Amino acid sequence: MNNDEAAVQAAVDKMTSAFEKNDIDAVMNAYEPGAAVVFEPGQPVTNEQQLRQMFGGMAAAKPVFTYSGHEVVVSGDTAVHIAPWQMVAHTPDGQEIRQSGLSVAVLRRQADGSWKMVIDNPHGARLLAQAK
């Protein structure tokens, strides 16, 4: 993995860690203004207040994410990060929630050299499931 690929991976890992810690300011800082996040397949959200609310609601369930691999492709100042993921969380009454998917995220290099997400779709595998 080269330096750019490692930096992209680190940006995704940092956001995941912040999300697990319910640090919504740090989660939001991982995204460019106007970024699109797909909480429900086919329904991207770009409004910052709505994103904060959605992330906050999900983080309240104390999610723990695991990735079974990462692929990063960088071309200039644009990158794509692809990773199969699993998540375990708990409802307020203690019931376990289990989800999984394929994360596909597009990141852009910022003027300071850092990477921020522009598009974040954790439901990248849904089309494959529909094709079966």
Side-chain angles (χ1 to χ4, degrees):
M1 186 172 279
N2 69 34
N3 288 343
D4 283 340
E5 293 165 346
V8 168
Q9 168 101 32
V12 171
D13 290 343
K14 184 176 179 181
M15 187 286 276
T16 302
S17 178
F19 188 38
E20 290 176 337
K21 294 175 185 171
N22 199 9
D23 184 348
I24 303 308
D25 288 338
V27 169
M28 293 302 296
N29 191 47
Y31 294 89
E32 281 191 0
V37 181
V38 182
F39 291 100
E40 294 293 328
Q43 299 178 23
V45 175
T46 58
N47 178 278
E48 184 178 341
Q49 287 185 329
Q50 192 175 1
L51 288 172
R52 281 185 175 278
Q53 184 177 45
M54 299 288 285
F55 278 123
M58 293 172 64
K62 297 179 177 66
V64 175
F65 289 88
T66 55
Y67 295 99
S68 59
H70 298 270
E71 182 174 36
V72 177
V73 179
V74 177
S75 179
D77 291 338
T78 306
V80 65
H81 172 268
I82 303 169
W85 58 270
Q86 293 184 346
M87 184 269 307
V88 177
H90 293 87
T91 63
D93 63 358
Q95 290 187 359
E96 187 175 85
I97 303 167
R98 288 188 172 272
Q99 295 181 346
S100 62
L102 179 68
S103 174
V104 179
V106 176
L107 296 87
R108 185 174 6 244
R109 188 189 327 262
Q110 305 300 295
D112 66 0
S114 67
W115 291 86
K116 291 194 178 190
M117 283 185 267
V118 180
I119 299 170
D120 182 6
N121 183 0
H123 304 287
R126 80 178 175 95
L127 296 175
L128 293 174
Q130 290 175 356
K132 292 182 181 179

